[in-house]
Amino acid sequence: MKVSERTKVIKPAVTLAIAAKAQKLREQGVDLVNFSAGEPDFDTPEHIKEAAIQALRKGMTKYTDVRGIEPLREAIVEKYQHDYGLSYTKEEVLVSCGGKHALYNVFQAILDQGDEVIIPSPYWVSYQDMVLLCDAVPRILPTKEENGFRITPAELQAALTPRTRAFILNSPSNPTGAAYDREDLAALSRVLEPHECLIFSDDIYEKIVYDEFSFYSIVTINPKLRERTIIFNSVSKTYAMTGWRIGYAIGLAPVISAAAKIQSQSTSNPTSIAQAAALEALRGPQDKVAEMVREFQKRRDAIVKNLNAMEGIRCFNPQGAFYVFPNIRPLLGKKAKGKKIESACDLAEFLLEEAQVAAVPGEDFGSAENIRFTYATSLKEVEKGCERIEAAIKKLE
Ligand SMILES: Cc1ncc(COP(=O)(O)O)c(C=O)c1O
């Protein structure tokens, strides 16, 4: 059977595939430590679930406005006013089936063949393939670990061309957890200001930050960029709602309208009752978020400390999200049971087989020397996983 050429230039989402494999092993009774999933282990807070139940009972079971119900779009506008002092209207908001879908729609709405998108690497797995699906060109811009996985203004300057249509800013980042502070954003914004490209600010981990780190929107730092920035966000990570599939894009009305047109001819509105739940997530009590972040921070501290104590592993201390992306270069070239570990992919496979620890190899995020561990699992599991990794890598010779 012939399938389109388009499907041949992209890869399936590897993180989802590994999570599925890990789940299967668990179902088979394997005592697996799952450091691969990109989702909080917490359940969705009760008041949010209750809002969905009430919506269902009240008969909120019909199509809604393609862009999302008005109260939810208003709540999103209020959130950005409240959190960052940014003024948007509900016409500048599109609610989609997850942040991923919002990004996909907007890419489809703005990219033509040959347009370039600057994607700093390590990057979240889907940006590149979404760009390819638009017949556009991903321009991968490697960051340096010694710069905290952040691109410098000079690196960004050198990457911008007249063909650059968009620049992706994902802070805190998946997979590194690196985040740009106020000064970093001000410096990048000075480089971006004279250009015409759009800025895609993927703020999905905005609330999951540690220590004294404060998240800023690049639009607050440089209001001149408001007309060129599309903000992406979602309830998935902040409220432990990955399965509900509600995310959104905020920005210029013409871009949002074009993206809504694409959504209207593909999925229509996101699920009505999930929208009711997202509304409660944004407008209801926020104390659970702080509780989850405190817990994530304990786990981050534990995993970073444990990994850095292992020979052959160097782990950057992330400011946000719930991932670590340790460098494993010294382990490459070593052997296990006569088999050489030649790549992060080999190491991930070795850890799955030898230690029953599931992780995602760095190649999928644009780095062959790193591996991603998610610590969105209990502290006990974090400790257990680290012990197993340590015991396994001691066997490498
Ligand atoms: C950086 C980043 N952006 C966007 C998404 C999309 O999340 P969702 O579609 O669940 O809102 C993810 C999910 O892993 C992510 O890590």
Side-chain angles (χ1 to χ4, degrees), residues 15 38-39 97-103 124-125 127 170 172-175 202-205 232-237 241-243 245-248 323 372:
T15 42
E39 61 183 349
C97 309
K100 188 183 249 182
H101 187 217
L103 278 154
W124 175 52
V125 285
Y127 298 131
N170 174 216
S173 142
N174 176 4
D202 183 347
D203 298 358
I204 196 160
Y205 297 102
F232 296 89
N233 211 328
S234 155
V235 294
S236 287
K237 318 284 177 170
M241 291 177 70
T242 46
R245 310 311 300 132
I246 297 290
Y248 50 92
Y323 312 101
R372 192 193 77 175

Side-chain angles (χ1 to χ4, degrees), residues 59-70 72-73 93-98 101-102 105 244-247 259-276:
M60 195 181 160
T61 56
K62 310 286 187 219
Y63 292 131
T64 74
D65 187 320
V66 166
R67 295 170 179 231
I69 54 172
E70 234 173 75
L72 178 55
R73 284 186 287 131
V93 179
L94 171 66
V95 182
S96 300
C97 309
H101 187 217
N105 287 333
W244 298 77
R245 310 311 300 132
I246 297 290
K261 194 153 88 174
I262 287 164
Q263 180 157 302
S264 77
Q265 295 294 16
S266 50
T267 58
S268 302
N269 62 276
T271 308
S272 55
I273 52 172
Q275 291 189 62

Side-chain angles (χ1 to χ4, degrees), residues 147-150 169-173 176-182 184-185 205-206 208-210 213-216 316-321:
N147 293 336
F149 290 116
R150 290 165 301 178
L169 177 66
N170 174 216
S171 167
S173 142
T176 64
Y180 292 83
D181 66 18
R182 240 194 122 103
D184 297 326
L185 292 174
Y205 297 102
E206 74 182 321
I208 306 173
V209 292
Y210 307 122
F213 189 87
S214 298
F215 175 90
Y216 286 93
F316 167 79
N317 192 26
Q319 294 99 329

Side-chain angles (χ1 to χ4, degrees), residues 110-111 115-118 156-157 159-167 188-200 224-230 252 255:
I110 62 128
L111 292 179
D115 284 345
E116 294 178 3
V117 177
I118 298 179
L156 176 60
Q157 181 75 62
L160 286 161
T161 77
R163 297 228 58 141
T164 308
R165 184 76 180 106
F167 160 65
L188 292 183
S189 84
R190 281 192 289 276
V191 173
L192 291 163
E193 212 185 295
H195 279 266
E196 284 181 1
C197 72
L198 295 173
I199 296 123
F200 275 31
K224 286 188 197 142
L225 295 182
R226 185 198 183 282
E227 302 309 305
R228 303 216 335 255
T229 304
I230 313 290
L252 295 182
V255 174

